[in-house]
Amino acid sequence: MALQIATATEEQTSVSNFINEQITLINTDAQSVTSTIQSNQQTVDNLADIVENLESYINEFTLVKPTTNTL
């Protein structure tokens, strides 16, 4: 009986260690995803600023319709 308990305890320890390793990997991946999202958000913000600047430059120009010379 003691041998069965010892074996079961070892198996539980092994499974617990495996689960802990997997949780650590998931946590690392989640941190990486969070970092990537933050970087992407900064890129989107920068692009939005660039678009605003381009729109203001475009609005400075006015198009003049060419006149047609009819003789």
Side-chain angles (χ1 to χ4, degrees):
M1 180 74 160
L3 181 59
Q4 290 175 333
I5 293 172
T7 302
T9 301
E10 287 178 20
E11 289 176 359
Q12 285 179 342
T13 300
S14 176
V15 169
S16 294
N17 288 338
F18 176 77
I19 291 171
N20 188 42
E21 290 171 5
Q22 296 307 307
I23 289 172
T24 300
L25 290 173
I26 290 169
N27 183 44
T28 300
D29 288 347
Q31 289 175 354
S32 176
V33 167
T34 299
S35 176
T36 301
I37 289 170
Q38 289 171 341
S39 176
N40 288 346
Q41 182 62 52
Q42 183 63 47
T43 300
V44 167
D45 292 344
N46 290 343
L47 287 172
D49 290 342
I50 291 170
V51 167
E52 281 184 28
N53 288 336
L54 286 173
E55 285 176 340
S56 69
Y57 294 140
I58 290 170
N59 290 333
E60 289 181 21
F61 294 97
T62 56
L63 295 177
V64 176
K65 253 188 168 177
T67 57
T68 56
N69 292 333
T70 56
L71 293 177

Coordinates of all heavy atoms in Angstrom, one line a residue:
M1 N 0.8 -1.2 0.0 CA 0.0 0.0 0.0 C 0.9 1.3 0.0 O 0.6 2.2 -0.7 CB -0.9 0.0 1.2 CG -1.8 1.1 1.3 SD -3.1 1.1 0.1 CE -4.3 2.1 0.8
A2 N 1.9 1.3 0.8 CA 2.8 2.4 0.9 C 3.5 2.7 -0.5 O 3.7 3.8 -0.9 CB 3.9 2.2 2.0
L3 N 3.8 1.6 -1.2 CA 4.4 1.7 -2.5 C 3.5 2.4 -3.5 O 3.9 3.2 -4.3 CB 4.9 0.4 -3.0 CG 5.6 0.3 -4.4 CD1 6.8 1.2 -4.3 CD2 5.9 -1.1 -4.8
Q4 N 2.2 2.0 -3.4 CA 1.2 2.6 -4.3 C 1.0 4.1 -4.0 O 0.9 4.9 -4.9 CB -0.1 1.9 -4.1 CG -0.1 0.5 -4.7 CD -1.4 -0.2 -4.4 OE1 -2.1 0.1 -3.4 NE2 -1.8 -1.2 -5.3
I5 N 1.0 4.5 -2.8 CA 0.9 5.9 -2.4 C 2.1 6.6 -2.8 O 2.0 7.7 -3.4 CB 0.7 6.0 -0.8 CG1 -0.6 5.4 -0.4 CG2 0.8 7.5 -0.4 CD1 -0.9 5.3 1.1
A6 N 3.3 6.0 -2.7 CA 4.5 6.7 -3.1 C 4.5 6.9 -4.6 O 4.9 8.0 -5.2 CB 5.8 5.9 -2.7
T7 N 4.1 5.9 -5.4 CA 4.0 6.0 -6.8 C 3.0 7.0 -7.3 O 3.3 7.9 -8.2 CB 3.6 4.6 -7.4 OG1 4.6 3.6 -7.0 CG2 3.6 4.7 -8.9
A8 N 1.9 7.0 -6.6 CA 0.8 8.0 -7.0 C 1.3 9.4 -6.6 O 1.1 10.4 -7.4 CB -0.5 7.7 -6.2
T9 N 2.0 9.6 -5.5 CA 2.6 10.9 -5.2 C 3.6 11.4 -6.2 O 3.6 12.6 -6.6 CB 3.2 10.8 -3.8 OG1 2.2 10.4 -2.8 CG2 3.8 12.2 -3.3
E10 N 4.4 10.5 -6.6 CA 5.4 10.8 -7.7 C 4.7 11.2 -9.0 O 5.1 12.2 -9.6 CB 6.4 9.7 -7.9 CG 7.4 9.4 -6.8 CD 8.3 8.2 -7.1 OE1 8.4 7.8 -8.3 OE2 8.8 7.7 -6.2
E11 N 3.7 10.5 -9.3 CA 2.9 10.8 -10.6 C 2.3 12.2 -10.4 O 2.3 13.0 -11.4 CB 1.9 9.8 -10.9 CG 2.5 8.4 -11.3 CD 1.5 7.3 -11.5 OE1 0.3 7.6 -11.3 OE2 1.9 6.2 -12.0
Q12 N 1.7 12.5 -9.3 CA 1.1 13.7 -9.1 C 2.1 14.9 -9.1 O 1.8 15.9 -9.7 CB 0.3 13.8 -7.7 CG -1.0 13.0 -7.7 CD -1.7 13.0 -6.3 OE1 -1.0 13.3 -5.3 NE2 -2.9 12.7 -6.3
T13 N 3.2 14.6 -8.5 CA 4.3 15.6 -8.6 C 4.7 15.9 -10.0 O 4.9 17.1 -10.4 CB 5.5 15.2 -7.7 OG1 5.1 15.0 -6.4 CG2 6.6 16.2 -7.8
S14 N 4.9 14.8 -10.8 CA 5.3 15.0 -12.2 C 4.3 15.7 -13.0 O 4.6 16.7 -13.7 CB 5.5 13.6 -12.8 OG 5.8 13.7 -14.1
V15 N 3.0 15.4 -12.8 CA 1.9 16.1 -13.5 C 1.8 17.6 -13.0 O 1.7 18.5 -13.9 CB 0.6 15.4 -13.3 CG1 -0.6 16.2 -13.8 CG2 0.6 14.0 -14.0
S16 N 2.0 17.8 -11.8 CA 1.9 19.2 -11.2 C 3.1 20.0 -11.8 O 2.9 21.2 -12.2 CB 2.0 19.2 -9.7 OG 0.9 18.6 -9.2
N17 N 4.2 19.4 -11.9 CA 5.4 20.1 -12.5 C 5.1 20.4 -14.0 O 5.5 21.5 -14.5 CB 6.7 19.3 -12.3 CG 7.2 19.3 -10.9 OD1 6.8 20.2 -10.1 ND2 8.0 18.3 -10.6
F18 N 4.6 19.4 -14.7 CA 4.3 19.7 -16.1 C 3.3 20.8 -16.3 O 3.4 21.7 -17.1 CB 3.7 18.4 -16.7 CG 3.3 18.5 -18.2 CD1 4.2 18.6 -19.2 CD2 2.0 18.6 -18.5 CE1 3.9 18.7 -20.5 CE2 1.6 18.8 -19.8 CZ 2.5 18.8 -20.8
I19 N 2.2 20.8 -15.5 CA 1.2 21.8 -15.5 C 1.8 23.2 -15.2 O 1.5 24.2 -15.9 CB 0.0 21.5 -14.6 CG1 -0.8 20.3 -15.1 CG2 -0.9 22.7 -14.4 CD1 -1.8 19.8 -14.1
N20 N 2.7 23.2 -14.2 CA 3.3 24.5 -13.9 C 4.2 25.0 -15.0 O 4.2 26.2 -15.3 CB 4.2 24.3 -12.6 CG 4.7 25.6 -12.1 OD1 4.0 26.6 -12.1 ND2 6.0 25.6 -11.7
E21 N 4.9 24.1 -15.7 CA 5.7 24.5 -16.9 C 4.9 25.1 -18.0 O 5.2 26.1 -18.6 CB 6.5 23.3 -17.4 CG 7.7 22.9 -16.4 CD 8.3 21.6 -16.8 OE1 8.0 21.0 -17.9 OE2 9.2 21.1 -16.1
Q22 N 3.7 24.4 -18.2 CA 2.8 24.8 -19.3 C 2.2 26.2 -18.9 O 2.1 27.1 -19.8 CB 1.7 23.8 -19.5 CG 2.2 22.5 -20.0 CD 3.1 22.6 -21.2 OE1 2.7 23.2 -22.2 NE2 4.3 22.1 -21.2
I23 N 1.8 26.4 -17.7 CA 1.3 27.7 -17.3 C 2.4 28.8 -17.4 O 2.1 29.9 -17.9 CB 0.8 27.6 -15.8 CG1 -0.5 26.8 -15.7 CG2 0.6 29.0 -15.2 CD1 -1.0 26.5 -14.3
T24 N 3.6 28.5 -17.1 CA 4.7 29.4 -17.3 C 4.9 29.8 -18.8 O 5.0 31.0 -19.1 CB 6.0 28.9 -16.7 OG1 5.8 28.6 -15.3 CG2 7.2 29.8 -16.9
L25 N 4.8 28.8 -19.6 CA 4.9 29.1 -21.1 C 3.7 29.9 -21.6 O 3.9 30.8 -22.4 CB 4.9 27.7 -21.9 CG 6.2 26.9 -21.7 CD1 6.0 25.6 -22.4 CD2 7.4 27.7 -22.3
I26 N 2.5 29.6 -21.1 CA 1.3 30.4 -21.5 C 1.5 31.8 -21.0 O 1.2 32.8 -21.7 CB 0.0 29.8 -20.9 CG1 -0.3 28.5 -21.6 CG2 -1.1 30.7 -21.0 CD1 -1.4 27.6 -20.9
N27 N 2.0 32.0 -19.8 CA 2.2 33.4 -19.3 C 3.2 34.1 -20.1 O 3.0 35.3 -20.5 CB 2.7 33.3 -17.8 CG 2.9 34.7 -17.2 OD1 2.1 35.5 -17.4 ND2 4.0 34.9 -16.5
T28 N 4.3 33.4 -20.5 CA 5.3 34.1 -21.4 C 4.7 34.5 -22.7 O 5.0 35.6 -23.2 CB 6.5 33.1 -21.6 OG1 7.1 32.8 -20.3 CG2 7.6 33.7 -22.5
D29 N 3.9 33.6 -23.3 CA 3.3 33.9 -24.6 C 2.3 35.1 -24.4 O 2.2 35.9 -25.3 CB 2.6 32.7 -25.1 CG 3.5 31.6 -25.7 OD1 4.7 31.9 -25.8 OD2 3.1 30.4 -25.9
A30 N 1.6 35.1 -23.3 CA 0.6 36.2 -23.1 C 1.3 37.5 -23.0 O 0.9 38.5 -23.5 CB -0.2 35.9 -21.9
Q31 N 2.5 37.5 -22.3 CA 3.3 38.7 -22.2 C 3.8 39.2 -23.5 O 3.8 40.4 -23.9 CB 4.4 38.5 -21.2 CG 4.0 38.4 -19.8 CD 5.1 38.1 -18.8 OE1 6.2 37.9 -19.2 NE2 4.8 38.1 -17.5
S32 N 4.2 38.2 -24.4 CA 4.7 38.5 -25.7 C 3.6 39.1 -26.6 O 3.8 40.1 -27.3 CB 5.2 37.3 -26.4 OG 5.6 37.5 -27.7
V33 N 2.4 38.5 -26.5 CA 1.2 39.1 -27.2 C 0.9 40.5 -26.8 O 0.6 41.4 -27.6 CB 0.0 38.1 -27.1 CG1 -1.3 38.7 -27.6 CG2 0.3 36.8 -27.8
T34 N 0.9 40.7 -25.5 CA 0.6 42.0 -24.9 C 1.6 43.0 -25.4 O 1.2 44.1 -25.9 CB 0.6 42.0 -23.4 OG1 -0.4 41.1 -22.9 CG2 0.4 43.3 -22.8
S35 N 2.9 42.7 -25.5 CA 3.9 43.6 -26.0 C 3.7 43.9 -27.4 O 3.8 45.0 -27.9 CB 5.3 42.9 -25.7 OG 6.3 43.7 -26.3
T36 N 3.3 42.9 -28.2 CA 3.1 43.1 -29.6 C 1.9 44.0 -29.9 O 1.9 44.8 -30.7 CB 2.9 41.7 -30.3 OG1 4.1 40.9 -30.1 CG2 2.6 41.9 -31.8
I37 N 0.8 43.8 -29.1 CA -0.4 44.6 -29.2 C 0.0 46.0 -28.9 O -0.5 47.0 -29.6 CB -1.5 44.1 -28.3 CG1 -2.0 42.8 -28.9 CG2 -2.6 45.1 -28.2 CD1 -3.0 42.0 -27.9
Q38 N 0.8 46.3 -27.9 CA 1.1 47.6 -27.5 C 2.0 48.3 -28.6 O 1.8 49.4 -29.0 CB 1.9 47.6 -26.2 CG 1.0 47.3 -25.0 CD 1.8 47.1 -23.7 OE1 3.0 46.9 -23.7 NE2 1.1 47.2 -22.6
S39 N 2.9 47.5 -29.2 CA 3.7 48.0 -30.3 C 2.8 48.3 -31.5 O 3.0 49.4 -32.2 CB 4.7 47.0 -30.7 OG 5.5 47.4 -31.8
N40 N 1.9 47.4 -31.8 CA 1.0 47.7 -32.9 C 0.1 48.9 -32.7 O -0.2 49.7 -33.6 CB 0.1 46.5 -33.2 CG 0.8 45.3 -33.8 OD1 1.9 45.4 -34.3 ND2 0.2 44.1 -33.7
Q41 N -0.3 49.1 -31.5 CA -1.2 50.3 -31.2 C -0.3 51.6 -31.4 O -0.9 52.5 -31.9 CB -1.7 50.2 -29.7 CG -2.6 51.4 -29.4 CD -3.8 51.4 -30.2 OE1 -4.5 50.5 -30.3 NE2 -4.1 52.6 -30.8
Q42 N 0.9 51.5 -31.0 CA 1.8 52.7 -31.2 C 2.0 53.0 -32.7 O 1.9 54.1 -33.1 CB 3.1 52.5 -30.5 CG 4.1 53.7 -30.7 CD 3.5 54.9 -29.9 OE1 3.1 54.8 -28.8 NE2 3.5 56.0 -30.6
T43 N 2.1 51.9 -33.5 CA 2.2 52.0 -34.9 C 1.0 52.6 -35.5 O 1.0 53.5 -36.4 CB 2.5 50.7 -35.6 OG1 3.8 50.2 -35.0 CG2 2.7 50.8 -37.1
V44 N -0.2 52.2 -35.1 CA -1.5 52.7 -35.6 C -1.6 54.2 -35.2 O -2.0 55.0 -36.0 CB -2.7 51.9 -35.0 CG1 -4.0 52.6 -35.2 CG2 -2.7 50.5 -35.6
D45 N -1.2 54.5 -34.0 CA -1.3 55.9 -33.6 C -0.4 56.8 -34.4 O -0.8 57.9 -34.8 CB -0.9 56.1 -32.1 CG -1.9 55.5 -31.1 OD1 -3.0 55.2 -31.6 OD2 -1.6 55.2 -30.0
N46 N 0.8 56.3 -34.7 CA 1.8 57.0 -35.6 C 1.2 57.2 -37.0 O 1.3 58.3 -37.6 CB 3.1 56.3 -35.6 CG 3.9 56.4 -34.3 OD1 3.6 57.2 -33.5 ND2 4.9 55.5 -34.2
L47 N 0.6 56.2 -37.5 CA 0.0 56.2 -38.8 C -1.2 57.2 -38.8 O -1.3 58.0 -39.8 CB -0.5 54.9 -39.3 CG 0.6 53.9 -39.7 CD1 0.1 52.5 -40.0 CD2 1.4 54.4 -40.9
A48 N -1.9 57.3 -37.8 CA -3.1 58.2 -37.7 C -2.5 59.6 -37.7 O -3.1 60.5 -38.4 CB -3.9 57.9 -36.5
D49 N -1.4 59.9 -37.0 CA -0.8 61.2 -37.0 C -0.3 61.6 -38.4 O -0.5 62.7 -38.9 CB 0.4 61.3 -36.0 CG -0.1 61.2 -34.6 OD1 -1.3 61.5 -34.3 OD2 0.8 60.9 -33.7
I50 N 0.3 60.6 -39.1 CA 0.8 60.9 -40.5 C -0.4 61.2 -41.4 O -0.3 62.1 -42.2 CB 1.6 59.7 -41.0 CG1 2.9 59.5 -40.2 CG2 1.8 59.7 -42.5 CD1 3.6 58.3 -40.5
V51 N -1.5 60.4 -41.3 CA -2.7 60.7 -42.1 C -3.2 62.1 -41.8 O -3.6 62.8 -42.8 CB -3.8 59.6 -41.8 CG1 -5.1 60.1 -42.4 CG2 -3.3 58.3 -42.4
E52 N -3.3 62.5 -40.6 CA -3.7 63.9 -40.2 C -2.8 64.9 -40.9 O -3.3 65.9 -41.4 CB -3.8 64.1 -38.7 CG -5.0 63.5 -38.0 CD -5.0 63.8 -36.6 OE1 -4.4 64.8 -36.1 OE2 -5.5 63.0 -35.8
N53 N -1.5 64.7 -40.8 CA -0.6 65.7 -41.4 C -0.8 65.7 -42.9 O -0.8 66.8 -43.5 CB 0.8 65.3 -41.1 CG 1.2 65.6 -39.6 OD1 0.6 66.4 -39.0 ND2 2.2 64.9 -39.1
L54 N -0.9 64.5 -43.6 CA -1.1 64.5 -45.0 C -2.4 65.2 -45.4 O -2.5 66.0 -46.4 CB -1.1 63.1 -45.5 CG 0.2 62.4 -45.5 CD1 0.0 60.9 -45.9 CD2 1.2 63.0 -46.5
E55 N -3.5 65.0 -44.6 CA -4.8 65.6 -44.9 C -4.6 67.2 -44.8 O -5.2 67.9 -45.6 CB -5.9 65.1 -44.0 CG -6.3 63.8 -44.3 CD -7.4 63.2 -43.3 OE1 -7.4 63.7 -42.2 OE2 -8.1 62.3 -43.7
S56 N -3.9 67.6 -43.8 CA -3.7 69.1 -43.7 C -2.9 69.6 -44.9 O -3.2 70.7 -45.3 CB -3.1 69.4 -42.4 OG -1.8 69.0 -42.3
Y57 N -1.9 68.9 -45.3 CA -1.2 69.4 -46.5 C -2.0 69.4 -47.7 O -2.0 70.3 -48.5 CB 0.1 68.5 -46.7 CG 1.1 68.5 -45.7 CD1 1.8 67.4 -45.2 CD2 1.5 69.7 -45.1 CE1 2.7 67.4 -44.3 CE2 2.4 69.8 -44.1 CZ 3.1 68.7 -43.7 OH 4.0 68.7 -42.7
I58 N -2.8 68.3 -47.9 CA -3.7 68.3 -49.1 C -4.7 69.4 -49.1 O -5.0 70.0 -50.1 CB -4.4 66.9 -49.1 CG1 -3.4 65.8 -49.5 CG2 -5.6 66.9 -50.1 CD1 -4.0 64.4 -49.3
N59 N -5.2 69.7 -47.9 CA -6.2 70.8 -47.8 C -5.6 72.2 -48.1 O -6.4 73.1 -48.3 CB -6.9 70.8 -46.4 CG -7.8 69.6 -46.2 OD1 -8.3 69.1 -47.2 ND2 -7.9 69.2 -45.0
E60 N -4.3 72.3 -48.1 CA -3.7 73.6 -48.4 C -3.8 73.9 -49.9 O -3.6 75.0 -50.3 CB -2.3 73.6 -47.9 CG -2.1 73.7 -46.4 CD -0.7 73.7 -46.0 OE1 0.2 74.1 -46.8 OE2 -0.4 73.4 -44.8
F61 N -3.9 72.8 -50.7 CA -4.0 73.0 -52.1 C -5.4 73.2 -52.6 O -6.3 72.5 -52.1 CB -3.3 71.8 -52.8 CG -1.9 71.6 -52.6 CD1 -1.4 70.8 -51.6 CD2 -1.0 72.3 -53.3 CE1 -0.1 70.6 -51.3 CE2 0.4 72.2 -53.0 CZ 0.8 71.3 -52.1
T62 N -5.6 74.0 -53.6 CA -6.9 74.1 -54.3 C -6.6 73.8 -55.7 O -5.7 74.3 -56.3 CB -7.5 75.5 -54.1 OG1 -6.5 76.5 -54.6 CG2 -7.8 75.9 -52.6
L63 N -7.6 73.1 -56.3 CA -7.5 72.8 -57.7 C -8.2 73.8 -58.5 O -9.3 74.2 -58.1 CB -8.1 71.4 -57.9 CG -7.3 70.2 -57.3 CD1 -8.1 68.9 -57.6 CD2 -5.9 70.1 -57.8
V64 N -7.6 74.3 -59.5 CA -8.2 75.3 -60.4 C -8.6 74.6 -61.7 O -7.8 73.9 -62.3 CB -7.2 76.4 -60.7 CG1 -7.8 77.4 -61.7 CG2 -6.8 77.1 -59.4
K65 N -9.8 74.8 -62.1 CA -10.3 74.2 -63.3 C -9.6 74.9 -64.5 O -9.6 76.1 -64.5 CB -11.8 74.3 -63.5 CG -12.6 73.0 -63.3 CD -14.0 73.3 -63.6 CE -14.7 71.9 -63.7 NZ -16.1 72.1 -63.9
P66 N -9.1 74.1 -65.4 CA -8.5 74.7 -66.5 C -9.5 75.4 -67.4 O -10.6 74.9 -67.6 CB -7.7 73.6 -67.3 CG -8.3 72.4 -66.8 CD -8.9 72.7 -65.4
T67 N -9.2 76.5 -68.0 CA -10.1 77.2 -68.9 C -9.9 76.7 -70.3 O -8.7 76.4 -70.6 CB -9.9 78.7 -68.8 OG1 -8.6 79.0 -69.2 CG2 -10.3 79.3 -67.5
T68 N -10.9 76.6 -71.0 CA -10.8 76.1 -72.4 C -10.8 77.4 -73.3 O -11.6 78.3 -73.2 CB -11.9 75.2 -72.8 OG1 -13.1 75.9 -72.6 CG2 -11.9 73.9 -72.0
N69 N -9.8 77.4 -74.2 CA -9.8 78.5 -75.2 C -10.5 78.1 -76.4 O -10.2 77.2 -77.1 CB -8.3 78.8 -75.6 CG -7.5 79.3 -74.4 OD1 -8.1 80.0 -73.5 ND2 -6.2 79.1 -74.4
T70 N -11.6 78.8 -76.6 CA -12.4 78.6 -77.9 C -12.2 79.8 -78.8 O -12.4 80.9 -78.4 CB -13.9 78.3 -77.5 OG1 -14.3 79.4 -76.8 CG2 -14.0 77.1 -76.7
L71 N -11.9 79.5 -80.0 CA -11.7 80.6 -80.9 C -12.7 80.5 -82.0 O -13.3 79.7 -82.5 CB -10.3 80.6 -81.5 CG -9.2 81.0 -80.6 CD1 -7.9 80.8 -81.3 CD2 -9.3 82.3 -80.0

